[in-house]
Amino acid sequence: MQPMSKAYNPSEHESRVWQKWIDANAFHADPDRVLNGDARPYCVLIPPPNVTAALHLGHALNNSIQDILIRAHRMKGYETLWMPGTDHAGIATQTMVDKRLKERGEPAIADYKQKELAGEDGRGQFVSLVQDFKDEFEARITDQLMKMGCSCDWDRQRFTMDDICARAVREAFFQLFKDGLIYRGKRLVNWDPVSQTALADDEVEMEEVDGHFYYLRYPLVKEIEGDPTVPVTWGELATRGYPDADNHPDDEQAWVTVATTRPETYMGDTAVAVNPKDPRAGAVRGMHVMLPIVGRIIPIIEDDYVVLPVKYGGEPGDAKAEMSTGFLKVTPAHDPNDYMIGQRHDLEMINIMAPDASISDQHGWDREERGEGGHVFLGKSREEARELVVKEFNARTVAEGSEGSLLEKMVPHKHSVGHSYRSHVPVEPYLSDQWYCKVTDDRLRGNAQRALTPEQRTEASLQAWPESAPTCPRGTGFQPVSPPSPSSSIPDALTIHQRHLPHWQLGGSTYFVTFRVETGTLSEKERDQVLDACFHFDGDRATIRLVTVMPDHVHMILTPLEHESGGYWPLQDLMHSIKSFTANAINRDRGATGPLWQDEYFDRLLRGQDEFVEKWNYMLMNPVKAELCEQPGEYAWTKRGEPGQRRRGRDGLEARPTRGGVEKGVCSTDGTMHFYPARYAKTYETWHDNLRDWCISRQLWWGHRIPVWSRSGVAPFEQFDQFSDWLFDGLTDGRLHARRRDDEEVTREFLQSGEQLDDLFICFKSEPTLEDIRILEEAGFTQDPDVLDTWFSSALWPLSTMGWPDASAAKDSSGIEDFESLLPAFNPTSVLTTAREIITLWVSRMTMFNRYFLSTNPRGTGFQPVTPPPSSLQDDGLEARPTEENMPGPAPFKDVFIHAMIQDGEGRKMSKSLGNGVDPLDIIDSHGADAMRFTLCQMTTQTQDVRMPVERDESTGKNTSPKFDLGRNLCNKLWNASKFALGMFEKAELKPGLPINPEELTLIDRWMLSRVTEATNKVNTALRNYMFKDYADAIYDLFWRDFCDWYLESIKPTIGDNPEQAAVLRTVFDAILRLMHPVMPFITETLFERFEPLPMREIEGFTFEQTKATDTLCLSGWPTPADELRDEVAEEAYERVRSLVTTIREVRATAQVKPKRQIVLHAGGELAADIARWSPLIETLAGVETVTADEPEGQSASFTFEGAEYRLSNLADALDAGAERDRLEKELATIEKSMAGIKGRLSNPGYVDKAPAHLVEQTRNQLAQLEKDHAATKAALDKLA
RNA sequence: GGGCGAGUAGCUCAGUUGGCUAGAGCGUUCGCCUUACACGCGAAAUGUCGUGGGUUCGAGUCCCUCCUCGCCUACCA
């Protein structure tokens, strides 16, 4: 192997290391190991990036996080699957390709549309161009992910339009269609006039726009003797009690004024609405208005949707009431609210626009037939039409000779208007025929809400969507987590926090509790008594899951239950009961008095499965480790709770006594999804509250074509018999489904008339045969030209990538042998990692679909029949409840982690238009993938977005950020520390040998082992809670601060002839590489290659997780140092060393001692003894040549340590006494300041009386210490004087 | 308008149930090419924790007021 270079150069290693992983097939997941029970599953699905563009820094962050989780779990022995893939992004990709073609001057989509019309398969030709584009970008994205080091299972890469995903889309559409959850509706959609397609609500972006309110006058008319155009005069209104009518001349024609921001839509008005409570309503009842220029006579209707103007009772301050005139123009075909009014009053809908949003009388406005005016507006764009309408109104009056124009006034107004996220033009509410998915159905929306863990749900949501369904007798979709097999390795060491605080606020949680015997041990009989006491309260105040009574301590896992008042039993009360119950009995038998137990330690089990299993394992192994038995099952005082107990929660996981009480039972597939950070659960819930049915059709070519055939506007069809035979055969054998527009049953009678076929929709379960197509075409049917919203296939991602609905077909088409094992092994997945903006749509839709399609019986029984789509856009209130035969499937992931958003230094989004984007590949080139990953990981917290100051490198024209230096520096440090350590091993012999007993090691070694142990715990906790900054900080501090700054510096003089120390260095470095690997895979793997051949001597308690293979670091086991390696004695002692060294260094720095100069420390007594025992730590770290008890001769400097004064000499040839005095005086001031604060606190009677005793005690000790320091420093100062 | 979040050192951010003298990295200052690392080592300086009140023996942390910023959402009368 080559000697190591002076600095780490990532480009020399990254591609080679990557190839090594690929050659080792290291990222390949084996689902059968999960199904055989050989390993627990851990699975992450990549949120498939759009094939429209290369990845940006946000993707880099997201994928780094996923890779960290995946790599850590792989090393922890889980069978891990990270499924990669890309998304076809229908509208975005189609637009991109079109733009590209135009730029190149090649035929673009308009030309292909022409071809298509000419019968030349323009569609097919265009789609194949998009396909080429997709191939190009898919390759680019894949390359980027690989450069970042993403350890995806690349053999399983999917694309949302590949044949496996397509099969899922077709099946899903068919099932939903058959179940009445997909319907056709003529409604207002968000129309993008440039792309000329419908958009879903989430594809519309709101933008602030400076507009105006236009106040338009519509003349009032009434019908007399068949003439509907007779003017109504103010005089007439006045007699009918119209307020203020007498302000106008009696004989003039009256008008009503409407306010609008969109005057150009007035041609589509079909009514004017007024609130029935409006004092003017009675006067105009039954009257009409005449639309100026157009001449249409439309009714005045009454609807309480209309806001009253302030003048007539509207609420002052309400923006609408302030602006309103009380009369509202109603344009059902161009405004969603007007649409609803139109529905209520059965108004005409007149669409006045062409698909490009120009004014047209060819798309629903039969102007000439009606004899209406307004031809001047035809062909005008929306903007032109607005100007023209305003101009025309302004030029006219209500009637000849009237005062004032039809345009009463214009008021500037700022408001936000929906814009297409793709073409950025204002979205037009446009009447059109589209397909909808009825997501408001309880089976979809309701189950998406119920998927959320009750702890994160709001009261309102729990009421609206109560947890449903009886207890679930069969599987839950989770792997059974009955306690793991005894043979599995000892789990992660536990971190137990002492908590004395209000756990009664944390009702319904499961706890891990430990309490110890004050002195002595328990006899066997006494252990029985404790067990009895525990179970005495089981099912009464708590559910006991597992107890193990050791001779000197007790562990238990339990869940407090609700008590009558609605709260939960406080854990303190429970413990008190159990402890006093047993203490009394045992003391009585022993004839003893006094306390038996110490305080308990307890830790809330915040998370379900992993932590539960970890602690469960820990408890089972406890007697084995204490050598009380050989196998976990053999210890007589380990008892599980009664398995048959009703109160046990799902899967024996979190017994979750929920608010209706435990008696109701818990639906095992509800309540499993957790958001991290938890606050996003609320966003998720609220989004569902406002949900409307989802428009799933798009007028595009790039996407999954809608598998529905229909027929309209063609000649009547003669051969009904043959056709209906064919149709009924298809219906009977289930390969197609037919629905009528009005959702009536499809009968033979229905088919009697060829014209009725126009109301028929036929959906095929799989691709229709040529024969089918022939029959359909003869009958005049054509396939729907539209495609599905891209999110429809994205929503199926957890299913489609795993081979649903037909894994054996997926196996055949992909050649992947174990495809059939994927879904059972890995769905539900472990976590979805995504950005904020995706919470709503994607998480929700995946949850809906996963739960729907994996339900025990998604169709038919158990659900109430669903009526055809309601005309209202809102949920119709259907409450179909699942039954036992019809259990919804699991949520597709257990956790949803929402990561931070990356912004530039000014807090703006990174975007192309601002030019503030940073390309991950540029950073990888300049700093290396590991540096980028570490920096991103270190910067991402749960509360703040990531601000990344962007700098432009003028020489390359590329954007970068100085932040990435942090990661690069760390890599370089790691590289050099390795070089140094490897150099050490050339001098210090490493050889295998008997396991090392850590107690026999030197202070510094025991300290280092303790630090690694603690850091490992920190890392485990951080990763479990998705605290990536904490993870980064933990390894940074461990490696740089503890290992490099102190450990390596300390062992320099001793390691050469201390083989045990060499073994510790070897093991510790190994552990550090492993802990760092998830975030910095390339460099750690590179270094591991150099360390791996060196023999490793076992240190007792320092073990590594068992994994599938160990030849590469990425497959090697995670460190699992035993808790016993935490060495408080060593930590405390080394803390004294550090403190002494720091103090001496400070003196050296202030006295300007040359770094190389070796000084003399004058210390006697106990400190001298300590220093001798620690030798040569102080000497090495503080640059001390000799330690002597003698008083210094000549010049010396003094310092205070632990309340005593010591001196240093040989600092320099001549000392600066002034500097020395300054230093001491400053120190004295600091001490005095601290003392004042502490004295103040102690002299406050409230503090001494009310603060916890141990704090007061601590404060007193502090004061005592400070007083000693003060005296010592004072003495030194006096001597100087 | 409604919701969520943020405001802590010059910059970017931590700060678990209220409790040792509020921390880290970068930057700054001083001294160092000291047996790997100047992408480094040693030392130092830097804070009215947005504002004003309240609860408490004790508040960066809990409650209320106000100010500033960000995101989401509603609003085309």
Short mmCIF file of all heavy atoms in Angstrom, two decimals, chain A residues 249-272:
data_model
loop_
_atom_site.label_atom_id
_atom_site.label_comp_id
_atom_site.label_asym_id
_atom_site.label_seq_id
_atom_site.Cartn_x
_atom_site.Cartn_y
_atom_site.Cartn_z
N PRO A 249 -83.09 60.67 -9.22
CA PRO A 249 -84.31 61.16 -9.87
C PRO A 249 -85.33 60.05 -10.04
O PRO A 249 -84.96 58.93 -10.44
CB PRO A 249 -83.81 61.64 -11.24
CG PRO A 249 -82.33 61.85 -11.08
CD PRO A 249 -81.89 60.90 -10.02
N ASP A 250 -86.57 60.34 -9.73
CA ASP A 250 -87.63 59.33 -9.73
C ASP A 250 -87.78 58.58 -11.03
O ASP A 250 -88.01 57.38 -11.06
CB ASP A 250 -89.00 60.03 -9.46
CG ASP A 250 -89.24 60.09 -7.96
OD1 ASP A 250 -88.31 59.68 -7.20
OD2 ASP A 250 -90.32 60.54 -7.57
N ASP A 251 -87.66 59.32 -12.12
CA ASP A 251 -88.03 58.71 -13.39
C ASP A 251 -86.84 58.11 -14.13
O ASP A 251 -86.94 57.70 -15.26
CB ASP A 251 -88.73 59.75 -14.27
CG ASP A 251 -87.89 61.01 -14.40
OD1 ASP A 251 -86.85 61.09 -13.68
OD2 ASP A 251 -88.25 61.88 -15.20
N GLU A 252 -85.67 58.10 -13.47
CA GLU A 252 -84.53 57.51 -14.15
C GLU A 252 -84.43 56.02 -13.90
O GLU A 252 -84.87 55.52 -12.85
CB GLU A 252 -83.23 58.19 -13.69
CG GLU A 252 -82.83 59.28 -14.67
CD GLU A 252 -81.48 59.86 -14.35
OE1 GLU A 252 -80.68 59.21 -13.62
OE2 GLU A 252 -81.21 60.98 -14.81
N GLN A 253 -83.81 55.33 -14.86
CA GLN A 253 -83.67 53.87 -14.69
C GLN A 253 -82.70 53.57 -13.54
O GLN A 253 -81.63 54.18 -13.43
CB GLN A 253 -83.13 53.23 -15.98
CG GLN A 253 -83.00 51.72 -15.83
CD GLN A 253 -82.76 51.03 -17.16
OE1 GLN A 253 -82.51 51.65 -18.18
NE2 GLN A 253 -82.86 49.72 -17.14
N ALA A 254 -83.08 52.64 -12.71
CA ALA A 254 -82.25 52.29 -11.56
C ALA A 254 -81.24 51.21 -11.94
O ALA A 254 -81.34 50.58 -12.99
CB ALA A 254 -83.15 51.78 -10.43
N TRP A 255 -80.27 51.05 -11.10
CA TRP A 255 -79.25 50.03 -11.36
C TRP A 255 -78.81 49.40 -10.04
O TRP A 255 -79.12 49.93 -8.96
CB TRP A 255 -78.04 50.64 -12.06
CG TRP A 255 -77.26 51.60 -11.19
CD1 TRP A 255 -76.30 51.28 -10.29
CD2 TRP A 255 -77.38 53.02 -11.14
NE1 TRP A 255 -75.83 52.41 -9.67
CE2 TRP A 255 -76.46 53.49 -10.18
CE3 TRP A 255 -78.20 53.95 -11.84
CZ2 TRP A 255 -76.33 54.85 -9.88
CZ3 TRP A 255 -78.04 55.29 -11.53
CH2 TRP A 255 -77.11 55.74 -10.56
N VAL A 256 -78.10 48.30 -10.12
CA VAL A 256 -77.38 47.78 -8.95
C VAL A 256 -75.90 47.81 -9.31
O VAL A 256 -75.53 47.68 -10.49
CB VAL A 256 -77.80 46.34 -8.57
CG1 VAL A 256 -79.27 46.32 -8.18
CG2 VAL A 256 -77.51 45.36 -9.68
N THR A 257 -75.09 47.99 -8.30
CA THR A 257 -73.65 48.03 -8.53
C THR A 257 -73.01 46.75 -7.99
O THR A 257 -73.27 46.36 -6.85
CB THR A 257 -73.01 49.24 -7.82
OG1 THR A 257 -73.69 50.40 -8.27
CG2 THR A 257 -71.54 49.35 -8.16
N VAL A 258 -72.22 46.11 -8.83
CA VAL A 258 -71.49 44.92 -8.36
C VAL A 258 -70.00 45.27 -8.31
O VAL A 258 -69.54 46.10 -9.10
CB VAL A 258 -71.71 43.70 -9.28
CG1 VAL A 258 -73.16 43.27 -9.26
CG2 VAL A 258 -71.24 43.98 -10.70
N ALA A 259 -69.29 44.65 -7.40
CA ALA A 259 -67.83 44.86 -7.32
C ALA A 259 -67.15 43.60 -7.83
O ALA A 259 -67.59 42.48 -7.55
CB ALA A 259 -67.42 45.13 -5.88
N THR A 260 -66.09 43.80 -8.59
CA THR A 260 -65.37 42.62 -9.09
C THR A 260 -63.91 42.99 -9.35
O THR A 260 -63.59 44.16 -9.56
CB THR A 260 -65.99 42.10 -10.40
OG1 THR A 260 -65.26 40.95 -10.84
CG2 THR A 260 -65.96 43.15 -11.51
N THR A 261 -63.05 42.01 -9.27
CA THR A 261 -61.67 42.23 -9.71
C THR A 261 -61.48 41.72 -11.13
O THR A 261 -60.44 41.89 -11.71
CB THR A 261 -60.68 41.49 -8.80
OG1 THR A 261 -61.01 40.12 -8.81
CG2 THR A 261 -60.72 42.03 -7.39
N ARG A 262 -62.48 41.05 -11.65
CA ARG A 262 -62.34 40.46 -12.97
C ARG A 262 -63.51 40.84 -13.87
O ARG A 262 -64.38 40.01 -14.19
CB ARG A 262 -62.28 38.93 -12.85
CG ARG A 262 -61.11 38.43 -12.05
CD ARG A 262 -60.88 36.98 -12.31
NE ARG A 262 -60.62 36.75 -13.72
CZ ARG A 262 -60.77 35.57 -14.32
NH1 ARG A 262 -61.20 34.53 -13.64
NH2 ARG A 262 -60.52 35.44 -15.61
N PRO A 263 -63.57 42.10 -14.29
CA PRO A 263 -64.73 42.56 -15.09
C PRO A 263 -64.90 41.76 -16.37
O PRO A 263 -66.03 41.64 -16.87
CB PRO A 263 -64.41 44.03 -15.37
CG PRO A 263 -62.97 44.20 -15.07
CD PRO A 263 -62.59 43.17 -14.07
N GLU A 264 -63.83 41.20 -16.91
CA GLU A 264 -63.93 40.52 -18.21
C GLU A 264 -64.82 39.29 -18.15
O GLU A 264 -65.25 38.78 -19.18
CB GLU A 264 -62.55 40.15 -18.75
CG GLU A 264 -61.82 39.04 -18.01
CD GLU A 264 -61.07 39.52 -16.77
OE1 GLU A 264 -61.32 40.65 -16.31
OE2 GLU A 264 -60.23 38.76 -16.26
N THR A 265 -65.11 38.80 -16.93
CA THR A 265 -65.95 37.61 -16.86
C THR A 265 -67.43 37.95 -16.90
O THR A 265 -68.27 37.06 -16.85
CB THR A 265 -65.68 36.81 -15.56
OG1 THR A 265 -66.03 37.63 -14.45
CG2 THR A 265 -64.23 36.39 -15.45
N TYR A 266 -67.75 39.27 -16.97
CA TYR A 266 -69.17 39.62 -16.82
C TYR A 266 -70.02 39.02 -17.93
O TYR A 266 -71.22 38.83 -17.79
CB TYR A 266 -69.33 41.14 -16.74
CG TYR A 266 -69.66 41.83 -18.03
CD1 TYR A 266 -70.97 42.21 -18.34
CD2 TYR A 266 -68.67 42.09 -18.96
CE1 TYR A 266 -71.29 42.83 -19.53
CE2 TYR A 266 -68.97 42.71 -20.16
CZ TYR A 266 -70.28 43.08 -20.46
OH TYR A 266 -70.59 43.68 -21.65
N MET A 267 -69.37 38.71 -19.06
CA MET A 267 -70.12 38.10 -20.16
C MET A 267 -70.65 36.72 -19.80
O MET A 267 -71.54 36.19 -20.45
CB MET A 267 -69.23 37.99 -21.39
CG MET A 267 -68.97 39.34 -22.02
SD MET A 267 -67.55 39.26 -23.12
CE MET A 267 -66.24 39.71 -22.04
N GLY A 268 -70.06 36.15 -18.76
CA GLY A 268 -70.52 34.83 -18.32
C GLY A 268 -71.47 34.91 -17.14
O GLY A 268 -71.88 33.89 -16.58
N ASP A 269 -71.83 36.12 -16.74
CA ASP A 269 -72.73 36.26 -15.59
C ASP A 269 -74.09 35.65 -15.91
O ASP A 269 -74.64 35.86 -17.00
CB ASP A 269 -72.94 37.74 -15.25
CG ASP A 269 -71.73 38.35 -14.56
OD1 ASP A 269 -70.72 37.64 -14.43
OD2 ASP A 269 -71.81 39.53 -14.19
N THR A 270 -74.65 34.92 -14.95
CA THR A 270 -75.99 34.38 -15.18
C THR A 270 -76.94 34.74 -14.05
O THR A 270 -78.07 34.27 -14.02
CB THR A 270 -75.96 32.86 -15.38
OG1 THR A 270 -75.29 32.26 -14.29
CG2 THR A 270 -75.24 32.49 -16.67
N ALA A 271 -76.46 35.54 -13.09
CA ALA A 271 -77.34 36.06 -12.04
C ALA A 271 -76.61 37.15 -11.30
O ALA A 271 -75.40 37.30 -11.43
CB ALA A 271 -77.75 34.96 -11.06
N VAL A 272 -77.39 37.92 -10.54
CA VAL A 272 -76.81 38.81 -9.54
C VAL A 272 -77.41 38.38 -8.22
O VAL A 272 -78.62 38.17 -8.12
CB VAL A 272 -77.14 40.29 -9.85
CG1 VAL A 272 -76.84 41.17 -8.63
CG2 VAL A 272 -76.34 40.77 -11.05
#
